[in-house]
Each structure stands twice: as structure tokens, then as C-alpha cells.
Amino acid sequence: MKKILASLLLVLSGASFAAGGGIAWDRFPKEKMSDMAALQSGAKTFVNYCLNCHAAAFQRYNRLRDIGLTEQQIKDNLLFATDKVGETMRISMDPKQAKDWFGATPPDLTLIARSRSAVGMGSGSDYLYTLWRTYYRDETKATGWNNLAFPSIGMPHALWQLQGERRPIFDTVMDHGHEVQVLKGWEQVTPGQLTPAQYDETVGNLVAFLTWMGEPVAAQRYRLGVWVLLFLAVMTVFAWRLNAAYWKDVK
């Protein structure tokens, strides 16, 4: 039993390190999950920048009506790989070729926000929000990019034209008698099409859409849960008073 627990802890710690890369994750702005405009903007960014290499094969285009888009808007603005809104979000890239180009097949993103959480680090949304905001140029890598949240990442920076090129600035501090590098900030090397604040907003919207896509009925489930708890609270009062009436003559 001890060996099994030790193995599980090793696996969990390894996954956390691989996903987190040793840096703290920024907190994803959760209020975007109830902002339809943010979700629609995230869907636009996803289709234009992510759906070229990554599929979302468990999501259908017509499900985007749940975030306030009409079927005509979906057809006019988001259908690039198909002409049917009932189709799933697949891509035409061959997985074998993708593995040869990138070293690994780009993962399906339907459930990516639910699968990337790590104990002690944060949710999958926090991870994605940090990932897209910690890219930097690294000419030693095949793609020309590296990432602080996922060191030696095989995915190039698809949003680099929006963000521009940045360089991380580190401070050297002592930790338990050892020198460690701590991220101090970022230096903008070349400007992007968006300001830093606009880019963070765009990334937040994209992550909101990816989070929504992992569980489109989450908001409905939360609302239903509130009503269920209220119903149980009221029924508890009735049951308590009914029980008192039944037993009032019992000594």
C-alpha cells in the first residue's frame, strides 16, 4: 500500500512540474465566464489562431448558439473547415505529419481546460492563462520560442503577432542557501498589434471560451444547484416541523 501511495505521489508531482514548469500560475479572471461578449471574442480567437493545428472534435459549431451567436453568425464568421454548423470542430491536418513537424501530435482542445489542473498550482484555466502570457523568444529551440509555464514547449507562439516579442527579466535571490532565479517582469523587445492590456484581455477571452467548451452546461448546472439547495433547505424545515408533530405526544 505504501508503494502504491508513493507511486501516486510521484506521478502527481511529476505532472504538476511538467505542467507548471516551476512558476506560480496567474489567476484566470473567472468573471469572464458569465460575459457573453468575452466568450464570443474567445471563440473568434480560437477559430482564427488555434483551430488550424488543434481540433475540438467533441464540440459542434451549432453549440456556439449557447453563447449568444446566431446560426447565421456562425456560418458567416466561424466556419472555415466546413459548411455545416452541425459538424464538429475538426481539422484537415494529418496527425502523422503534425507529429513530424512539431515532435508530437497537437492535442485536442475540447477538454484542455479541465485536464491541465495541478494540485497546489491552480485550475486548468489558470494554467492556460499563464501559458499564453509567458512566451518568449529562444533561438536555441526549433520553433524559436520557449515558455516559462511549459519549458521547452513544442508549440510555437501562435499569438506572437498580437503580443509582439518579449524578454523575461529575472532577479537572483537566495533560497535555503542556494541562488535561484525569480521572474521580476518582462521587457518588450518588439511591439505587437495589441497593447499588453489588450493582449491580456484577448487571452482571458480565449481561455474563457476553452473553459466553457470543456463544460458548456456549467452555468446551467450552477443555477440548478442553487435552486436544489434552496428546495432542500425549505423541505428540511417542513420535515423538522412534521417530525415534531408526529412525536409531540410520545413521552
Side-chain angles (χ1 to χ4, degrees):
M1 185 65 179
K2 290 182 178 180
K3 291 183 178 180
I4 294 175
L5 290 174
S7 300
L8 286 173
L9 288 173
L10 182 61
V11 170
L12 288 173
S13 61
S16 175
F17 179 79
I23 67 168
W25 295 351
D26 295 328
R27 290 293 170 253
F28 161 68
K30 294 182 180 180
E31 63 274 8
K32 288 185 176 294
M33 296 305 302
S34 58
D35 186 343
M36 289 297 178
L39 292 172
Q40 293 170 12
S41 174
K44 178 182 176 182
T45 303
F46 173 77
V47 170
N48 282 279
Y49 290 93
C50 303
L51 200 56
N52 304 309
C53 300
H54 297 274
F58 303 101
Q59 184 67 264
R60 297 186 183 277
Y61 286 97
N62 57 10
R63 195 65 195 258
L64 300 181
R65 291 178 298 189
D66 293 352
I67 60 174
L69 295 174
T70 65
E71 190 166 306
Q72 193 60 47
Q73 287 175 325
I74 297 172
K75 287 182 179 179
D76 293 342
N77 302 295
L78 301 177
L79 290 188
F80 300 131
T82 181
D83 57 355
K84 298 179 181 179
V85 294
E87 290 287 337
T88 54
M89 294 182 172
R90 297 182 180 273
I91 57 174
S92 58
M93 184 169 59
D94 182 69
K96 293 183 179 179
Q97 291 182 331
K99 188 173 183 179
D100 291 338
W101 295 336
F102 301 111
T105 304
D108 186 281
L109 297 184
T110 313
L111 301 173
I112 192 69
R114 299 183 64 180
S115 66
R116 292 294 181 174
S117 62
V119 177
M121 297 292 288
S123 67
S125 302
D126 297 333
Y127 166 72
L128 294 173
Y129 186 63
T130 305
L131 179 78
W132 280 111
R133 296 165 59 253
T134 54
Y135 267 99
Y136 63 95
R137 271 293 183 187
D138 187 347
E139 300 300 339
T140 65
K141 303 300 179 183
T143 63
W145 296 94
N146 208 335
N147 193 284
L148 293 182
F150 194 148
S152 299
I153 190 172
M155 181 177 69
H157 188 7
L159 303 180
W160 75 271
Q161 290 177 314
L162 301 180
Q163 186 184 31
E165 297 183 20
R166 300 196 306 169
R167 182 178 67 86
I169 302 174
F170 295 97
D171 267 347
T172 301
V173 299
M174 297 298 295
D175 183 23
H176 297 88
H178 299 280
E179 291 186 352
V180 295
Q181 297 290 316
V182 177
L183 180 65
K184 179 182 178 181
W186 295 87
E187 177 187 358
Q188 193 78 31
V189 179
T190 58
Q193 297 174 4
L194 303 177
T195 65
Q198 289 172 334
Y199 179 78
D200 287 350
E201 184 77 10
T202 298
V203 169
N205 295 341
L206 173 60
V207 174
F209 175 74
L210 291 172
T211 305
W212 171 86
M213 190 163 55
E215 191 178 2
V217 298
Q220 180 182 352
R221 177 169 58 82
Y222 293 152
R223 289 194 296 269
L224 181 61
V226 171
W227 284 109
V228 168
L229 291 175
L230 290 175
F231 172 78
L232 291 176
V234 172
M235 288 304 298
T236 298
V237 174
F238 278 104
W240 172 57
R241 297 307 304 160
L242 184 60
N243 179 75
Y246 280 150
W247 291 92
K248 66 180 179 179
D249 297 325
V250 178
K251 302 298 182 182

